[in-house]
C-alpha cells in the first residue's frame, strides 16, 4: 500500500461516513484489511457486501468484502473463473475481529463488462439469453447495489447509476417468470399423472420463482441467495406480495392432508397472479 | 395452423396447451407459444384467464357478460370467436 484509502478517497477525507448504513465497525474492518495488506496499491473501491451489509448477519455469518482494483490482484488465493477479461477473480480468506472474512478481488474493467452485459441495449438483441450473467457475476451486481461502501464512493456511485439505467432487473424478472411458468406446467402435469406429492413440492418451487419475479421487478434482488427470500419479502413491503400471503404458501401451513390437489390449484393460481403482476415492458 | 375442431361450442371446456405462456408487457397480456404471440385487449385477457380446464365456454361467457352488463348470448358468440382463434394457433385446446 502506498496510500491510505481512508484518507485519499475523492469524495471525502472520511469515506466510511459517506454511507449512512455503515456499521460502526466499518472503519475497523478497513483498518484490518489494510493491516493485513489485503488492499492492493491500485485499489479503486472496497465494499462490505452480503448479509452484513443488509443488516441480516448473525454471529456465525462471514464478512464478505469486494475489492475492485485497476489490475488483476496479485494476492494468492482461490482462482475463480469468470467469463470476463481478465478471466478470473481471486478470493482470499482471512479473519477480521474474530469473524471469517472472504475478500474477492475484481477489476474495474470486469465491472464495466458485467454492466454492459445487462445494458438496456441488450434487451432487443435476438441472441440475448435470459441469463446473460453467471451466478458470480449476478451476485456481484446485486451486491454492488446493496453493499456498504468502504472506499471509492464516487466510483461506486457511477457504477450504481449505470446499473440502475441498465436492464438487470428486467433480465432477472423475465427469467424468474419463465422459471415459475415452467414449474407451474410441471406441477399440473404431475397432478394429472397422480403424483400428488411431487406436484405439491413443484408448486412450492413455482411460487418461490414467482416471488423472485415480483421482487426483482421491484429492484429487490437476491435470487442467488434464496435463504434470504423471506427477509426480502418482509423488507420490500409490497402490496402485491404481502408477507402473510407469502409465508402461508412457503411454510405450507394451509396444506390440509388429503386435500393436496386443492392446495396445488390455489398455489398455481397465485403464481400466475404474481407473474402477471410483473410487467416486463415497464418498470415500476 | 390447426382448426379449432368441431367441439368448440358453448358446451366445450377449453384449457391452455402445454407450452402456452402468458406475460404482462406494457400493460397488456401477451399469450404466446414457440411460434405465435397474441396481444389481448382487456376483455380478451379476462376470457383467457378464465380458461382453466374446468369452466365451459358458456361459463366463461356468462362471467364476462356479468362483468360488463352485456347480453350473454352476444358475448358468447364473441368468446367462441376469440377462443377459436386461440385454438387455431394451438394456444388452447378442448378438454377431451
Amino acid at each position: 500500500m502506498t496510500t491510505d484509502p481512508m484518507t485519499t478517497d475523492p469524495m471525502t477525507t472520511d469515506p466510511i461516513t459517506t454511507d449512512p448504513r455503515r456499521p460502526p465497525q466499518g472503519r475497523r474492518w478497513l483498518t484490518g484489511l489494510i493491516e493485513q495488506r489485503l488492499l492492493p496499491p491500485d485499489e479503486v473501491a472496497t465494499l462490505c457486501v452480503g448479509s452484513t451489509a443488509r443488516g441480516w448477519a448473525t454471529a456465525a455469518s462471514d464478512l464478505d468484502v469486494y475489492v475492485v482494483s485497476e489490475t488483476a490482484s496479485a494476492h494468492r488465493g482461490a482462482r475463480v473463473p469468470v467469463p470476463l477479461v481478465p478471466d478470473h477473480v481471486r478470493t482470499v480468506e482471512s479473519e477480521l475481529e474474530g469473524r471469517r472474512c472472504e475478500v474477492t478481488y475484481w477489476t474495474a474493467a470486469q465491472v464495466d463488462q458485467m454492466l454492459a452485459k445487462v445494458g438496456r441495449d441488450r434487451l432487443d438483441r435476438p441472441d440475448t439469453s435470459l441469463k446473460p450473467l453467471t451466478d458470480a457475476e449476478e451476485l456481484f451486481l446485486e451486491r454492488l447495489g446493496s453493499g456498504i461502501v468502504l472506499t471509492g464512493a464516487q466510483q461506486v456511485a457511477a457504477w450504481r447509476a449505470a446499473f440502475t439505467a441498465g436492464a438487470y432487473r428486467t433480465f432477472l424478472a423475465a427469467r424468474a417468470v419463465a422459471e415459475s411458468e415452467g414449474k407451474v406446467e410441471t406441477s399440473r402435469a404431475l397432478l394429472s399423472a397422480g403424483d400428488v406429492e411431487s406436484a405439491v413440492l413443484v408448486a412450492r418451487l413455482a411460487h418461490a420463482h414467482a416471488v423472485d419475479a415480483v421482487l426483482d421487478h421491484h429492484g429487490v434482488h437476491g435470487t442467488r441467495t434464496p435463504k434470504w427470500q423471506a427477509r426480502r419479502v418482509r423488507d420490500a413491503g409490497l402490496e402485491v406480495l404481502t408477507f402473510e400471503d407469502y409465508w402461508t404458501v412457503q411454510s405450507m401451513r394451509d396444506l390440509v392432508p388429503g386435500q393436496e390437489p386443492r392446495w396445488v390449484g390455489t398455489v398455481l393460481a397465485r403464481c400466475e397472479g404474481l407473474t402477471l403482476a410483473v410487467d416486463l415492458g415497464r418498470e415500476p | 395452423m390447426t382448426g379449432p375442431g368441431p367441439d368448440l361450442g358453448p358446451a366445450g371446456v377449453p384449457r391452455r396447451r402445454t407450452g402456452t405462456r402468458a406475460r404482462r408487457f406494457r400493460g397488456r397480456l401477451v399469450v404466446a407459444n414457440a411460434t405465435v404471440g397474441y396481444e389481448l385487449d382487456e376483455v380478451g385477457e379476462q376470457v383467457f384467464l378464465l380458461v382453466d380446464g374446468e369452466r365451459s365456454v358458456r361459463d366463461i361467457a356468462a362471467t364476462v357478460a356479468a362483468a360488463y352488463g352485456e347480453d350473454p348470448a352476444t358475448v358468447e358468440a364473441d368468446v367462441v370467436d376469440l377462443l377459436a382463434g386461440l385454438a387455431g394457433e394451438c394456444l388452447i385446446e378442448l378438454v377431451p
Side-chain angles (χ1 to χ4, degrees):
Chain A
M1 281 295 297
T2 55
T3 58
D4 180 351
M6 285 196 294
T7 57
T8 57
D9 188 274
M11 289 291 282
T12 170
T13 55
D14 189 5
I16 300 179
T17 61
T18 60
D19 193 325
R21 295 170 303 126
R22 77 174 171 83
Q25 311 94 306
R27 174 173 288 280
R28 296 203 306 273
W29 293 338
L30 190 55
T31 302
L33 292 168
I34 294 166
E35 287 175 353
Q36 294 185 50
R37 299 181 182 279
L38 289 171
L39 297 189
D42 60 351
E43 176 238 14
V44 174
T46 298
L47 298 97
C48 168
V49 298
S51 59
T52 300
R54 288 196 156 189
W56 300 340
T58 67
S61 297
D62 293 347
L63 183 63
D64 294 310
V65 174
Y66 283 161
V67 175
V68 184
S69 54
E70 289 293 350
T71 57
S73 168
H75 286 85
R76 295 183 181 206
R79 185 181 190 277
V80 181
V82 290
L84 300 165
V85 180
D87 65 358
H88 66 278
V89 296
R90 296 269 181 195
T91 62
V92 173
E93 290 191 11
S94 181
E95 192 176 298
L96 279 177
E97 300 186 333
R99 291 172 64 184
R100 199 183 82 87
C101 171
E102 184 176 281
V103 183
T104 306
Y105 294 92
W106 301 81
T107 70
Q110 287 174 329
V111 178
D112 291 338
Q113 291 164 49
M114 287 187 279
L115 288 168
K117 286 184 180 185
V118 287
R120 202 150 286 279
D121 60 308
R122 297 296 178 109
L123 282 176
D124 297 326
R125 283 170 51 162
D127 60 337
T128 296
S129 150
L130 273 182
K131 189 173 181 355
L133 302 166
T134 62
D135 288 357
E137 294 172 307
E138 191 175 311
L139 192 59
F140 177 92
L141 291 184
E142 174 212 316
R143 289 172 157 183
L144 177 67
S146 62
I148 295 172
V149 183
L150 299 181
T151 68
Q154 194 170 32
Q155 179 59 70
V156 173
W159 284 328
R160 284 177 173 169
F163 173 84
T164 303
Y168 180 86
R169 70 165 68 182
T170 301
F171 275 110
L172 264 62
R175 188 185 69 205
V177 165
E179 287 178 339
S180 181
E181 285 177 331
K183 294 285 189 297
V184 165
E185 205 166 82
T186 302
S187 181
R188 283 203 183 105
L190 287 164
L191 206 55
S192 296
D195 188 348
V196 175
E197 293 83 6
S198 299
V200 165
L201 295 178
V202 175
R204 188 165 174 268
L205 285 173
H207 181 255
H209 286 304
V211 167
D212 275 339
V214 172
L215 291 173
D216 281 321
H217 184 54
H218 285 83
V220 184
H221 307 299
T223 309
R224 293 300 124 210
T225 49
K227 67 181 176 183
W228 299 120
Q229 191 180 56
R231 289 270 199 174
R232 291 190 293 131
V233 171
R234 197 188 285 280
D235 287 1
L238 299 171
E239 195 174 328
V240 69
L241 179 62
T242 67
F243 186 83
E244 184 66 16
D245 289 346
Y246 162 76
W247 194 240
T248 295
V249 176
Q250 285 307 113
S251 66
M252 305 169 88
R253 64 184 173 195
D254 62 345
L255 175 58
V256 178
Q259 295 185 21
E260 286 85 357
R262 186 174 170 188
W263 186 86
V264 169
T266 303
V267 171
L268 298 188
R270 176 172 163 73
C271 289
E272 180 164 90
L274 290 173
T275 55
L276 290 183
V278 175
D279 192 328
L280 294 171
R282 190 184 289 161
E283 292 181 357
Chain B
M1 183 163 157
T2 60
D7 298 324
L8 188 60
V13 176
R15 67 182 177 195
R16 297 182 200 180
R17 287 187 67 130
T18 300
T20 296
R21 298 286 186 257
R23 305 275 170 82
R24 179 83 52 208
F25 193 79
R26 292 181 185 153
R28 290 296 181 96
L29 186 73
V30 177
V31 182
N33 57 24
T35 54
V36 295
Y38 266 51
E39 184 179 292
L40 302 179
D41 62 15
E42 184 185 328
V43 179
E45 172 176 337
Q46 191 169 355
V47 170
F48 181 81
L49 294 179
L50 289 168
V51 170
D52 60 1
E54 293 182 4
R55 293 180 176 90
S56 67
V57 174
R58 179 169 289 131
D59 294 337
I60 293 171
T63 301
V64 175
Y68 290 92
E70 297 287 341
D71 171 43
T74 306
V75 173
E76 191 172 283
D78 291 341
V79 169
V80 168
D81 281 349
L82 172 64
L83 294 179
L86 295 176
E89 297 291 0
C90 299
L91 292 162
I92 64 168
E93 63 188 359
L94 286 173
V95 174

